Amino acid sequence: MKITSIRAHPLAAPIDRPFAFSQAWVDTRVGLVVEIETDSGLTGWGDGYGPPKPLASVIDNIYAPRLTGRSPLPGDAIWEELYNALRDHGQRGIAVQALSAIDIALWDLRGKHFGAPVHELMGGPVRREVRAYATGLYRRSDDTAENHAMLREEAQGYLDAGFTAMKTKVGFGFQDDIALVGMLRDVIGDRAELFVDANHGCDRVQAARLARAMEPLDIGWFEEPVAPEDLEGYAELRRSTSIPIAGGECSFTRHDFRRILEAGAMDIIQPDTASCGGLTEAKRIADMAWTHGLRHNPHVWGTGIGLAAAMQLLAVLPTTAPAFGAHQPLLEYDSTPHPFRQDLLVEPIPVANGVAQVPTGPGLGIKVRREVLERWRMR
Ligand code: CA
C-alpha cells in the first residue's frame, strides 16, 4: 500500500446566532479535514484543530511531498520524521496541528488496512462507551437577564437529554462570572457536575479571586484559568484552591506536557488529539501523565472526524486508579451550533443519555460524506 495523494480541505460555515467565550464572539465554525488516498483504494481521514488555511498550507507544502509514494504503515517513524521536518520552525502550534491531522488520517488508513478499529491497534479497548459532558452554555446575549434566561433553558435541555455533566464559560469579569455560575448551579442542583472554562481570560489575581468565590458551588474543574505559558500561575492557583485545575488544549507534544507535569500545574490535562500531535502523540502524553496520576479528558472542538479520533483515544486511555469507583475519562461533547460537525459523517457517533459509544468499524470507524465537504469548502 502506497500513498498516492494527500489533500487538505479547509472548511467554514456561518452560524445563525453567534455565541461568545472570554476571547471573542463566534459567528463561523471552521474545520480542517485531511484526506489521504492510497493505491490500494483505501482512504484515510484526519482532522486538524487550528486555522484551516495555514494548516492546509503546511500540509500541502511540507508534509504531503514527503509522504507521497510511501507506505502509511510505519507510525512512529513517520511522526518523528514529520515533526523533525519543521522542528527548527515549529515544535508547537500550526506545525503540530497539521501533523496531528496527518497522523489521525494515517491511523485511519492503518485500521482500514488491517480491518480493525484504531483502538484495537492501540491495545484496547479499555472501555466501549464514554460518559460525555455537554460543552455549551456560552454567552449568547450581552443583556444579562436575557443571557441568563437562555442559558437556564440550555442547561435544562442538557439535563433533559440525560447529560450528567456540563461546562460553561467564565472570564467576563468577576461579578458577571459569579452570577452566572451561581445561577447555573441553582438550575442544575445536584443533578449534574458543573465545570467552568476561562479560556485563559484571567490573570493570576482574577483567577484566584474567582476560584475562591466558586468553591461553595461544587465546581468539578476550573479550565484554562490563566495563560497557557504561565505554568507557575497554574501551580500557584492549584495550591490555593480546592477546585481541580484543568488545561492543556493550547499545549503541544510530550515536550509541553512534560513541563506541565514537572510544574505540578494541573489536576486534569486536556490535550486535543487533533492538535497536540495526533493519536500517536496523545497516547504517549497519556502514558506519561499516568505516571503522575493526572486525569486526561481530551479537548474536542472539531468535526465528526476529530470526535471519532477522540473516541478512539478515549477507548484506550488508562484508568487513573482502577477500583469499583474508578474515575473514567470524560468526552468533551461540543453541543454548540455547528452546521457540519456530525453532518460530515454518514452515521453520526451515537450519544444518548449523556453516554457516547466508541465506533467499532475499521480505522476511525466512520464514513465521510463528500457532498458536505464540498458544500462548506473555504473559497
Ligand atoms: Ca476549553
Side-chain angles (χ1 to χ4, degrees), residues 196 219-223 238 241-246 266-268 295:
V196 304
I219 301 304
W221 73 63
F222 187 1
E223 175 172 330
R238 184 169 171 240
T241 180
S242 60
I243 300 176
I245 301 300
M266 295 171 193
D267 299 288
I268 300 154
R295 294 181 178 182

Side-chain angles (χ1 to χ4, degrees), residues 64-246:
R66 289 180 170 267
L67 292 180
T68 307
R70 292 171 52 183
S71 166
L73 297 181
D76 288 7
I78 290 177
W79 194 97
E80 301 302 339
E81 179 185 330
L82 296 188
Y83 178 79
N84 194 54
L86 274 180
R87 178 175 249 134
D88 294 12
H89 317 284
Q91 301 176 17
R92 51 173 64 81
I94 287 161
V96 176
Q97 291 169 333
L99 168 55
S100 304
I102 297 273
D103 181 81
I104 290 168
L106 291 174
W107 272 106
D108 189 31
L109 268 178
R110 286 174 209 127
K112 285 167 174 165
H113 176 75
F114 291 112
V118 167
H119 63 257
E120 264 182 29
L121 299 186
M122 295 182 94
V126 175
R127 59 190 66 78
R128 296 179 188 281
E129 57 180 33
V130 182
R131 187 161 71 97
Y133 72 88
T135 277
L137 304 170
Y138 282 63
R139 169 163 299 219
R140 290 161 69 187
S141 167
D142 273 330
D143 179 84
T144 301
E146 185 185 40
N147 189 51
H148 281 205
M150 292 170 95
L151 298 198
R152 188 177 294 123
E153 191 183 341
E154 186 181 338
Q156 188 60 52
Y158 296 139
L159 292 174
D160 294 344
F163 283 100
T164 53
M166 61 190 81
K167 188 166 82 185
T168 190
K169 295 290 176 180
V170 293
F172 296 93
F174 179 80
Q175 298 298 345
D176 195 291
D177 291 342
I178 205 68
L180 173 73
V181 178
M183 181 279 289
L184 288 172
R185 180 47 87 197
D186 274 351
V187 172
I188 296 167
D190 59 4
R191 285 177 290 171
E193 292 182 82
L194 178 61
F195 314 131
V196 304
D197 183 359
N199 294 92
H200 51 78
C202 299
D203 67 13
R204 292 188 189 188
V205 175
Q206 289 173 309
R209 184 179 183 213
L210 183 57
R212 254 195 318 279
M214 291 192 300
E215 281 177 3
L217 297 172
D218 190 20
I219 301 304
W221 73 63
F222 187 1
E223 175 172 330
E224 286 207 290
V226 295
E229 301 92 332
D230 185 15
L231 297 183
E232 296 79 8
Y234 264 93
E236 196 177 278
L237 179 66
R238 184 169 171 240
R239 284 190 296 269
S240 75
T241 180
S242 60
I243 300 176
I245 301 300

